[in-house]
Amino acid sequence: MVTPERNMADGHCKFGPKCRFSHDPTTLCYSFQTPKGCPKGASCFFSHRPTSSAVEASADRRNNRGAPTVAEQDYEVRFRQWTYLIPKQNGGRRLQHGPPDTKAFFKAGWELMTSSDASGRQRLIKKLSTDEGLNMIKTLADTMDSDQQEPAILATFEGSVIFFYRTISHPEVVSSLVLERPLETIYNFLYGSGGRRGVDVVRFTAKAISLLVIQYEDDAYEKSNVILDPCFATLGRMIELNQGAQLHHELVPMVESISACATPDKMFPDLRRKLDKIRIRLGLGSLMPTAKISKHSATRTATFKLRIDLPGGLSIDGPRHDNDHEDIADIQILPTADEIQCSRVEYLPSSDPSNNHLIGLPGLLDRQFRLLREDAIGGLRDAVRREAEHLEQVPLPAAQAKQRQLERTHVHANLRLRRWELDRRKGIQLVVEFDQPITITDLGVQHRKEWWDSSRRLQPSTLVCLVSSTGQNIFCLVCDPKPTAPSKKKHREDSDDEEGDEVHSVAELEYRRKMAEMPSLYQDGSRAAVMLTLVQEDCRHIAWISQQFTERDSTVRISLVEFPGVLLPSFQPTLEALQQMSQRLDLPFTEHLAPQVPEQGAQVTAPPLYAQRQGFAFDLSPLTKGEPLKLSAQRPFDWNAFNNITSLDEAQQAAVIYALNNSFALIQGPPGTGKSYTGVSIIKVLLRNRNVGELGPIICVCYTNHALDQLLEHLVQDGVEQVVRIGSRSKSELLKNVNLHDLAQQVAQTKNESHEKYLLNQQLTSSMAEIASLLKELNTLTSEASIKDYLEENSPKHFRELFQSPMEEDGFTLVGRRDNDLIKSWLKAAKQGNRRDRPAGMLLNLPLEEMSTAERRRLYTYWVAERSEQLGEQLDDALEPYKDTRLELDKYFKEQQRRALSQAHVIGVTTSGLARNLEVLRNLQSKVLICEEAGEVLEAHILTALLPSIEHAILIGDHEQLRPQVKNYELCHDNPRGKHIALDISLFERLVQRGDNAKIPSLPLSRLKIQRRMHPSIANLVRSTIYPDLEDYHTVLAYPSIDGMKDRLYWMTHQNREDGADLMQSQADSKSNDFEVQMVSALASHLVRQGTYSHGDIAVLTPYVLQLQKIRRSLGEMFEISINDRDLQALEDQGEVDAPPTPLAKGPTVKKTALLGALRVATVDNFQGEEAKVIILSFVRSNAEGKCGFLRTSNRINVALSRARHGMYTIGDARTASSVPMWAKVLRILEAQDSSDARIGSYVVTHVRTSATAMRFMRPFTVLSAVSGPKRAAITLV
């Protein structure tokens, strides 16, 4: 390659033609190719635009870091040319005379934005956010004078302003997570101090829009939208980021002016929505058409309202505690110490908005936040309060204090706080230890390990709380004690750094130390140790914990309260999202979710905004076997043609068309009617129209991992591509290659991202070194070095008295005495008879030798506490940059996730997974949300799923089946005390079944009607009670009979009372019935031995976890038992897992049969959405009071009765069941069919081939015997 002569950059060379370097001006500038670029800029003699040969030669010189492409080189040239348009300040290299050329600058910036990749866009926006870029923005803003002549306004707007707006509102820029801070800098600068610059910007923009709309009158629709889109996006973002804008009254008439000229007939529907958001933030109200209401006269009824104790300062009695606020954004998620100790009842908003302190959307978000938080942390708060009260009492004997169990919690007593640790990935960690449970102290290490493993206690991510007798309550998370191994890879910039090798060696030694000192639950026979992380790294908590590392103060009693199964990520992200939404108020569909219309009647929703665009029509060919058929909001639909060429039944056809025609659609799917099939059909249509509607990725949300896997598997099997699943709980082999975590790691980083991450990691290393030093001091607060440092800085007089080398009378210095010896000696060396007991504050300036033993101890404790507080504050300061750096690094990984998801056509996620990934999903600009199992999902989870960009929401579910699961029964609709709260009423149910006194109309829904699951005799149980219009598909009429049984539907009644739960166990509210366990085992064994049922064909259901465990144990002796994840988690949460065999366990090993492969056992609640050929239902409840417990609600009864395809057998006390109206009706139906009796034997068909077995057991009113032989089996009355 020809090398340019550097002197020729100035235009001359003293060597002239004899120079061995190039004087050709077309030669690529040498300095331009360096990272810093050419200082000469546009005046440089050589070329700043690489030729292909120059690019190739440059590539040859590069090392193996990867050669840039021609396009990258071209972008580099154009980017530098763009930066040369920025004048340098005095002292810089470039000085321009006259004002900067903003027109050329912002137009070139927009051209760069549209022609670059992610790396280029990042560089451009970050350059704009620097002081140089902001100066250019200021120069532009100074030209935005609305008092200019109209031609000047239009010239400025069209020549530069619009390019600037387009650049900072570009979809890829706005959605980038790594550009959030630079963009905030730009928008905040544009708003200016006190909004002065922002007011001028909005005024100028409003004037320009009004002029342009008039100018484009003949072709206003298309042209005006091109202009309005970036204007609305820029102004909306600027106002959103600056809360003070809502108080700027000058902005109101300007936005009204924009609204007046940008009328709906001149705007795309989505632009009207953007303008609406601006208006709502300024308190102007929406321009969007409200729901159509058909009025009718409402019946007046007498009302009586009790006084409600409102939150925070609105309460007549004042705030309840330091975490009681009117604004939910100010409320801490986990309870504070003051909140825990408070005895007043929390404010819980009613389901009637008129009774609450906020109405409309703010009231809706406030209510959902407070109720969800109470359900999540109410039990935690009460358990911690009880333990704190217990610790304040007289200490229990050691044998009683070892380990106790509160309701749904475990308490680990006699806790000691040992030391701090620091991990690069996990942050600050705390090592604690406590007494081993008495039952395992005498076991060996292996058996202690098995006990801890089987008990599932103190598993990683479990929420715990340190509770002390002094009122300290510190929430922590259990973390994996294994330290993060040091990275073996070194950054290329450190490859030759000897210092880097030394640092790496130190890290390796520290890793080995941590491994050797790793805490263990089972290694020590008397004490168990565990690693924790603080939920909130508060300097006061850190200081207090550090003071407890010394055991000098034995009066402080500490317990570790464990909350089994409570995972912070299961509720914290949702609550934080609701807090953010309460500030942004950008929830779509507010007119349906939180309307303030007083009339009652039918409410009609409009088509999705994207479907309202002129000329848009849905292509329905995926449902018509390829035959062309369109659906348009502007034209009538040809139902006959659709019916003739689709495989959907009539109800499914109506549901699909209804869902596509309505922006907020509700579809009810009774059991077996094909909810999932209908949902897949809707998704196929949306995917076909994805590009024309600019829909972005379609987000599919399900309540359970199982349902999500099923939905995505259907899509993949039907040929849908670009499917991504979020979350690691999938068990589908078909989806293992489309997990977001794995896909994100395959997304290439931009050069800018790689460099920024390197710098951030350097900052992280530096911050960690400072934090590690402070933690080391906190671990040794009572050491002589720590006390010495404190006294030298804060009490020089006492420092000299203690640590100045003592002198003998002859002047010689005493040797051999250590500082720590001096402290210990001084603590014990008080003069006899000195019994003074002054407070620490009076001792600070007194001579040490004059103090009594008690005073010396008090002053020493004061020194330790002060030193701890000092270090805690220093640590708090050091943690701020550490946390910021970690957040920035996390954003770079999330940006990779966002880029992966932006290429997806379908994104599948559970409701809990969505809340955890909300930051990424909010930046995708998805327009469609489909939620399955919507009747089971808490309203708060649906609200967080409704991203601001969503224009089309389709909720599919059945409010007649299971409601959302709520931990606190006091908040449930079926509890008379909780009826006015009703947290377990889903959004789906609330919208379609508003209460009798509701002032807001219900939303219409489409109901599926043809069931394809149950035999008609089984379907009749729910048809006669809940779904009167449910129809049977013809295939269910041909179901075979049940092998080994005469009838396919039967209730075996009995009067064997339920077993009372052990009140000392955590599952005191669970129930069991040993008689039914025996009957279920016998019947299940009999059905299995028919030899005709395969894996999963038979399922045993029960409403109670305790009964589930007993059935599992009984059947587990004979068969392999299959339990779903949620039931297994419920067993683990309540400690109902099978313990490992003890060393003394003896006896024969039971060999399980392989006839069935796996027999399914489940609770009713966790079997919704599932089905089996044969269902055996254990009712459990049998009591004189007629209490049915969980199975008293029609929702659960519905689920229990609708799981069976071919046959269902219920074992339960019919007298107890008949106290519930729905059960009574079911029993009458069964009695009419002669299917309910006190015996089962006379209905058994004997024709199986199994090995010879025999079982016998007793019951009060008869003896049942099951006998089987090589050819025959029978159950007969004896």
Side-chain angles (χ1 to χ4, degrees):
M1 175 186 174
V2 179
T3 304
E5 165 56 54
R6 297 188 183 184
N7 292 322
M8 281 299 295
D10 295 323
H12 64 276
C13 174
K14 63 182 181 180
F15 297 104
K18 296 181 180 180
C19 181
R20 59 192 179 93
F21 295 106
S22 174
H23 289 184
D24 183 358
T26 63
T27 304
L28 185 65
C29 174
Y30 180 87
S31 298
F32 176 76
Q33 302 173 70
T34 65
K36 292 185 177 180
C38 177
K40 303 297 180 181
S43 62
C44 180
F45 178 80
F46 294 105
S47 172
H48 285 184
R49 191 173 186 87
T51 62
S52 58
S53 59
V55 172
E56 293 172 3
S58 176
D60 292 338
R61 295 201 319 270
R62 291 180 178 268
N63 57 22
N64 57 6
R65 298 180 189 177
T69 64
V70 174
E72 290 173 336
Q73 285 276 15
D74 181 65
Y75 174 84
E76 187 67 29
V77 171
R78 295 167 60 205
F79 180 81
R80 293 191 184 281
Q81 291 174 344
W82 176 68
T83 60
Y84 294 150
L85 295 173
I86 305 175
K88 290 289 184 180
Q89 303 300 315
N90 290 333
R93 292 189 301 268
R94 292 191 309 275
L95 287 175
Q96 277 188 356
H97 300 288
D101 188 352
T102 55
K103 181 177 180 180
F105 178 79
F106 287 106
K107 184 177 181 180
W110 171 242
E111 291 172 351
L112 278 174
M113 177 65 65
T114 55
S115 62
S116 63
D117 58 7
S119 179
R121 289 190 290 268
Q122 291 170 4
R123 289 183 66 189
L124 191 147
I125 294 298
K126 288 187 176 182
K127 186 65 177 179
L128 275 179
S129 67
T130 62
D131 289 342
E132 293 178 334
L134 295 177
N135 279 331
M136 292 298 290
I137 296 174
K138 180 179 182 302
T139 303
L140 175 65
D142 291 342
T143 66
M144 298 171 70
D145 183 3
S146 59
D147 293 331
Q148 301 176 83
Q149 295 294 322
E150 292 182 359
I153 292 176
L154 288 175
T156 301
F157 184 84
E158 293 181 309
S160 53
V161 173
I162 191 62
F163 294 114
F164 171 57
Y165 284 176
R166 287 171 179 168
T167 300
I168 63 174
S169 65
H170 189 283
E172 288 297 321
V173 168
V174 173
S175 61
S176 174
L177 290 165
V178 300
L179 293 179
E180 281 185 352
R181 286 193 177 182
L183 274 178
E184 287 181 9
T185 300
I186 293 171
Y187 279 109
N188 289 334
F189 181 82
L190 190 63
Y191 185 71
S193 176
R196 290 190 296 272
R197 185 181 296 120
V199 170
D200 292 338
V201 167
V202 175
R203 183 183 291 115
F204 176 86
T205 304
K207 181 71 173 178
I209 288 175
S210 64
L211 294 174
L212 286 169
V213 169
I214 295 173
Q215 178 177 315
Y216 294 153
E217 191 67 40
D218 296 335
D219 193 14
Y221 193 75
E222 292 295 336
K223 287 187 177 180
S224 63
N225 280 278
V226 174
I227 296 295
L228 293 177
D229 194 359
C231 291
F232 290 173
T234 300
L235 299 184
R237 183 64 172 161
M238 183 178 68
I239 293 172
E240 176 189 347
L241 289 174
N242 295 275
Q243 297 293 325
Q246 301 177 19
L247 305 176
H248 239 300
H249 300 299
E250 292 181 72
L251 294 175
V252 172
M254 303 172 197
V255 173
E256 289 284 25
S257 172
I258 295 175
S259 304
C261 62
T263 54
D265 60 311
K266 298 176 182 177
M267 284 192 294
F268 290 148
D270 52 341
L271 293 187
R272 296 203 301 270
R273 184 175 175 185
K274 289 180 180 179
L275 179 57
D276 257 11
K277 289 182 178 180
I278 297 175
R279 293 179 57 85
I280 291 172
R281 288 192 179 280
L282 296 177
L284 296 176
S286 172
L287 288 174
M288 299 287 282
T290 56
K292 300 176 183 178
I293 307 295
S294 60
K295 299 181 181 179
H296 70 273
S297 58
T299 304
R300 297 183 62 87
T301 57
T303 60
F304 182 86
K305 292 187 176 181
L306 296 172
R307 182 177 69 87
I308 298 173
D309 190 10
L310 296 175
L314 299 178
S315 172
I316 296 177
D317 301 322
R320 297 162 176 79
H321 44 73
D322 62 1
N323 202 27
D324 184 25
H325 304 285
E326 301 98 290
D327 190 344
I328 60 173
D330 299 327
I331 298 176
Q332 295 184 34
I333 303 297
L334 291 174
T336 63
D338 192 38
E339 181 180 357
I340 289 170
Q341 297 166 7
C342 178
S343 59
R344 288 173 60 186
V345 177
E346 293 293 321
Y347 166 68
L348 299 178
S350 164
S351 57
D352 183 357
S354 64
N355 292 330
N356 305 327
H357 74 297
L358 293 174
I359 60 174
L361 179 57
L364 173 65
L365 298 173
D366 178 273
R367 167 178 150 77
Q368 292 302 321
F369 174 87
R370 293 181 190 274
L371 296 184
L372 181 62
R373 179 178 183 270
E374 178 64 20
D375 187 55
I377 65 99
L380 280 63
R381 180 189 61 226
D382 297 342
V384 172
R385 181 191 301 125
R386 289 194 296 270
E387 180 60 20
E389 293 171 350
H390 165 77
L391 291 175
E392 292 173 0
Q393 299 171 0
V394 179
L396 292 172
Q400 298 180 33
K402 282 269 183 178
Q403 193 176 51
R404 298 179 303 103
Q405 195 163 310
L406 302 173
E407 184 180 359
R408 299 187 184 279
T409 64
H410 302 306
V411 179
H412 306 280
N414 196 17
L415 189 80
R416 287 290 176 266
L417 310 173
R418 287 309 179 205
R419 67 179 185 276
W420 296 110
E421 293 283 4
L422 181 64
D423 188 275
R424 188 174 186 86
R425 292 183 181 175
K426 304 168 189 173
I428 294 180
Q429 299 172 300
L430 173 64
V431 178
V432 303
E433 65 178 40
F434 51 87
D435 292 339
Q436 286 279 15
I438 298 176
T439 55
I440 66 171
T441 53
D442 295 331
L443 298 180
V445 173
Q446 183 60 32
H447 289 102
R448 281 198 301 271
K449 181 180 185 301
E450 291 175 353
W451 187 92
W452 279 107
D453 290 344
S454 65
S455 70
R456 307 293 295 173
R457 297 185 184 184
L458 295 176
Q459 293 291 299
S461 300
T462 299
L463 185 65
V464 296
C465 185
L466 301 176
V467 185
S468 78
S469 56
T470 58
Q472 291 284 347
N473 306 297
I474 304 173
F475 285 93
C476 305
L477 295 174
V478 178
C479 61
D480 186 351
K482 187 175 181 180
T484 301
S487 175
K488 295 182 179 180
K489 296 187 296 183
K490 290 189 294 183
H491 197 277
R492 60 176 180 266
E493 297 182 31
D494 292 338
S495 57
D496 299 324
D497 191 351
E498 294 182 2
E499 184 179 350
D501 293 333
E502 183 179 347
V503 170
H504 187 75
S505 176
V506 171
E508 183 66 31
L509 291 174
E510 180 66 7
Y511 171 73
R512 293 175 183 175
R513 179 196 67 79
K514 290 180 179 179
M515 287 294 294
E517 299 177 4
M518 189 169 62
S520 170
L521 288 169
Y522 55 83
Q523 286 292 345
D524 189 278
S526 59
R527 303 282 286 175
V530 69
M531 186 84 82
L532 308 176
T533 57
L534 274 61
V535 173
Q536 283 186 314
E537 292 168 339
D538 188 296
C539 64
R540 294 167 299 176
H541 291 162
I542 291 173
W544 180 83
I545 289 172
S546 301
Q547 293 174 44
Q548 309 311 311
F549 290 158
T550 172
E551 297 185 9
R552 294 181 185 275
D553 187 2
S554 60
T555 61
V556 179
R557 302 171 59 210
I558 309 175
S559 294
L560 184 69
V561 180
E562 176 187 0
F563 310 101
V566 177
L567 299 177
L568 197 59
S570 67
F571 61 87
Q572 185 181 41
T574 303
L575 291 172
E576 289 175 343
L578 291 171
Q579 288 178 315
Q580 295 172 9
M581 292 163 66
S582 72
Q583 300 298 297
R584 295 175 174 173
L585 295 178
D586 55 1
L587 184 73
F589 311 112
T590 304
E591 68 274 18
H592 304 308
L593 303 176
Q596 301 181 48
V597 183
E599 297 88 351
Q600 289 183 328
Q603 198 172 29
V604 181
T605 61
L609 291 177
Y610 66 84
Q612 295 180 33
R613 292 197 173 194
Q614 291 181 359
F616 180 89
F618 285 105
D619 178 2
L620 301 181
S621 59
L623 308 182
T624 60
K625 303 173 184 177
E627 295 292 327
L629 185 65
K630 298 285 186 177
L631 171 66
S632 172
Q634 289 81 32
R635 297 189 299 273
F637 181 63
D638 190 343
W639 286 97
N640 290 331
F642 189 37
N643 185 59
N644 292 334
I645 54 179
T646 184
S647 60
L648 300 171
D649 64 44
E650 291 186 2
Q652 290 171 340
Q653 294 172 34
V656 169
I657 301 304
Y658 163 77
L660 296 175
N661 268 336
N662 290 270
S663 60
F664 199 91
L666 306 174
I667 299 176
Q668 182 188 8
T673 54
K675 292 189 295 292
S676 296
Y677 182 75
T678 304
V680 169
S681 300
I682 294 171
I683 293 171
K684 287 180 179 179
V685 174
L686 291 169
L687 289 174
R688 177 59 61 89
N689 298 273
R690 177 176 176 272
N691 292 331
V692 66
E694 300 177 354
L695 304 184
I698 297 171
I699 300 178
C700 298
V701 181
C702 295
Y703 177 58
T704 63
N705 282 287
H706 177 74
L708 180 61
D709 283 347
Q710 282 187 326
L711 173 62
L712 297 183
E713 283 177 346
H714 286 318
L715 292 174
V716 172
Q717 289 167 351
D718 286 349
V720 174
E721 299 178 344
Q722 296 298 96
V723 173
V724 177
R725 192 196 192 282
I726 299 178
S728 59
R729 302 293 296 273
S730 173
K731 292 188 175 181
S732 170
E733 285 294 315
L734 200 60
L735 304 174
K736 65 180 181 180
N737 294 325
V738 295
N739 182 271
L740 174 61
H741 183 272
D742 298 331
L743 294 175
Q745 294 183 347
Q746 300 173 29
V747 175
Q749 296 181 8
T750 66
K751 291 182 178 179
N752 179 70
E753 289 171 346
S754 180
H755 178 65
E756 291 291 333
K757 285 180 66 177
Y758 168 73
L759 295 179
L760 288 170
N761 275 303
Q762 293 291 91
Q763 295 175 22
L764 190 66
T765 300
S766 176
S767 296
M768 287 187 62
E770 182 182 0
I771 294 171
S773 175
L774 291 169
L775 291 179
K776 185 176 180 180
E777 291 192 62
L778 284 168
N779 284 338
T780 56
L781 275 177
T782 58
S783 68
E784 68 276 8
S786 181
I787 300 298
K788 192 173 183 178
D789 289 344
Y790 170 77
L791 292 179
E792 186 173 14
E793 180 181 351
N794 298 277
S795 183
K797 180 176 180 293
H798 287 165
F799 172 78
R800 289 192 297 271
E801 290 185 59
L802 262 181
F803 297 105
Q804 290 287 325
S805 298
M807 308 288 290
E808 289 286 359
E809 292 180 358
D810 58 5
F812 289 95
T813 302
L814 293 177
V815 296
R817 297 182 62 185
R818 294 177 300 177
D819 293 340
N820 205 34
D821 294 335
L822 289 173
I823 297 175
K824 291 180 180 178
S825 300
W826 171 72
L827 287 171
K828 299 176 181 177
K831 295 179 180 179
Q832 293 184 357
N834 186 350
R835 302 184 182 279
R836 302 187 68 175
D837 195 8
R838 291 165 289 188
M842 295 180 61
L843 304 174
L844 299 181
N845 296 312
L846 297 180
L848 297 179
E849 293 300 322
E850 296 180 4
M851 299 179 190
S852 66
T853 300
E855 290 174 336
R856 295 179 185 215
R857 175 66 60 189
R858 181 171 293 111
L859 183 60
Y860 173 79
T861 303
Y862 173 83
W863 290 342
V864 172
E866 286 294 301
R867 179 61 173 165
S868 174
E869 187 173 336
Q870 278 185 359
L871 293 172
E873 290 175 355
Q874 293 176 31
L875 182 62
D876 199 42
D877 292 338
L879 283 172
E880 286 302 317
Y882 169 78
K883 292 176 183 176
D884 289 343
T885 305
R886 289 291 300 269
L887 286 175
E888 284 299 305
L889 280 169
D890 188 48
K891 281 195 174 183
Y892 280 95
F893 177 67
K894 288 181 178 178
E895 173 63 14
Q896 289 180 270
Q897 291 183 320
R898 186 199 67 80
R899 292 213 292 270
L901 290 174
S902 66
Q903 302 175 48
H905 294 173
V906 176
I907 298 172
V909 63
T910 61
T911 52
S912 58
L914 185 141
R916 289 195 291 270
N917 293 274
L918 204 54
E919 185 178 8
V920 176
L921 294 172
R922 285 179 70 96
N923 286 274
L924 287 179
Q925 304 304 310
S926 295
K927 293 184 179 180
V928 180
L929 171 77
I930 297 179
C931 180
E932 287 212 354
E933 307 173 303
E936 279 191 89
V937 181
L938 286 166
E939 180 166 354
H941 292 158
I942 296 289
L943 295 181
T944 56
L946 290 172
L947 308 174
S949 61
I950 296 297
E951 299 178 5
H952 194 181
I954 302 170
L955 274 55
I956 305 174
D958 185 6
H959 56 284
E960 299 289 0
Q961 296 188 57
L962 288 181
R963 285 177 172 149
Q965 293 186 4
V966 172
K967 298 176 184 176
N968 188 349
Y969 181 58
E970 295 296 316
L971 306 179
C972 291
H973 178 270
D974 292 326
N975 183 352
R977 297 184 300 276
K979 192 175 184 66
H980 68 289
I981 295 176
L983 175 60
D984 61 337
I985 297 296
S986 65
L987 175 65
F988 189 99
E989 182 173 358
R990 180 170 74 83
L991 294 178
V992 301
Q993 285 192 341
R994 301 189 193 267
D996 296 336
N997 297 324
K999 299 177 182 179
I1000 307 300
S1002 301
L1003 276 181
L1005 82 162
S1006 181
R1007 182 182 293 109
L1008 305 179
K1009 296 180 179 180
I1010 301 177
Q1011 70 88 17
R1012 295 167 170 80
R1013 173 187 296 166
M1014 300 166 280
H1015 186 273
S1017 62
I1018 302 174
N1020 191 47
L1021 299 180
V1022 292
R1023 181 167 33 241
S1024 302
T1025 52
I1026 297 178
Y1027 308 107
D1029 55 352
L1030 187 66
E1031 302 174 14
D1032 299 321
Y1033 195 61
H1034 65 86
T1035 56
V1036 301
L1037 301 174
Y1039 280 165
S1041 58
I1042 306 302
D1043 286 343
M1045 307 295 287
K1046 178 182 178 183
D1047 292 328
R1048 69 173 72 248
L1049 186 62
Y1050 200 84
W1051 183 303
M1052 198 215 82
T1053 185
H1054 66 86
Q1055 293 183 2
N1056 292 268
R1057 298 306 187 204
E1058 65 201 48
D1059 313 311
D1062 186 351
L1063 297 179
M1064 294 300 292
Q1065 296 180 345
S1066 62
Q1067 68 279 2
D1069 57 347
S1070 194
K1071 303 292 181 183
S1072 66
N1073 191 308
D1074 286 344
F1075 170 77
E1076 290 189 13
V1077 172
Q1078 295 175 320
M1079 289 299 299
V1080 165
S1081 299
L1083 181 54
S1085 178
H1086 169 73
L1087 290 171
V1088 168
R1089 285 175 169 79
Q1090 306 311 303
T1092 56
Y1093 296 105
S1094 58
H1095 175 85
D1097 284 348
I1098 301 175
V1100 178
L1101 304 185
T1102 179
Y1104 292 99
V1105 174
L1106 186 57
Q1107 183 77 347
L1108 172 74
Q1109 175 64 2
K1110 290 187 175 183
I1111 292 173
R1112 177 194 185 194
R1113 287 174 177 167
S1114 177
L1115 291 174
E1117 296 177 355
M1118 299 174 283
F1119 311 110
E1120 293 291 340
I1121 301 300
S1122 173
I1123 295 184
N1124 64 41
D1125 291 340
R1126 286 191 290 171
D1127 278 327
L1128 191 59
Q1129 184 64 52
L1131 290 170
E1132 293 173 354
D1133 292 347
Q1134 298 193 0
E1136 278 298 320
V1137 289
D1138 293 327
T1142 64
L1144 302 177
K1146 297 180 179 179
T1149 302
V1150 178
K1151 184 176 181 180
K1152 299 178 182 180
T1153 180
L1155 288 175
L1156 186 63
L1159 187 70
R1160 288 197 286 176
V1161 181
T1163 57
V1164 173
D1165 281 11
N1166 290 332
F1167 207 70
Q1168 177 160 315
E1170 303 282 340
E1171 61 181 45
K1173 287 183 179 179
V1174 181
I1175 293 290
I1176 303 173
L1177 174 63
S1178 173
F1179 192 83
V1180 179
R1181 302 306 298 269
S1182 177
N1183 51 69
E1185 298 82 9
K1187 294 181 178 180
C1188 291
F1190 286 157
L1191 285 182
R1192 69 182 175 279
T1193 62
S1194 61
N1195 303 77
R1196 277 197 179 93
I1197 300 173
N1198 182 14
V1199 174
L1201 295 178
S1202 59
R1203 303 302 98 195
R1205 297 178 62 204
H1206 298 175
M1208 183 176 72
Y1209 304 95
T1210 304
I1211 301 174
D1213 184 349
R1215 292 186 183 179
T1216 299
S1218 61
S1219 63
V1220 176
M1222 185 169 173
W1223 278 123
K1225 190 169 185 178
V1226 168
L1227 285 166
R1228 287 196 295 271
I1229 295 172
L1230 293 175
E1231 287 169 354
Q1233 299 175 4
D1234 196 21
S1235 297
S1236 176
D1237 201 72
R1239 62 187 186 280
I1240 193 171
S1242 60
Y1243 294 95
V1244 174
V1245 179
T1246 58
H1247 62 281
V1248 300
R1249 291 176 290 178
T1250 64
S1251 59
T1253 61
M1255 293 179 294
R1256 302 181 67 88
F1257 54 86
M1258 298 293 296
R1259 48 187 284 216
F1261 51 88
T1262 185
V1263 178
L1264 217 62
S1265 173
V1267 180
S1268 63
K1271 299 288 185 182
R1272 302 171 63 82
I1275 299 180
T1276 56
L1277 290 174
V1278 178

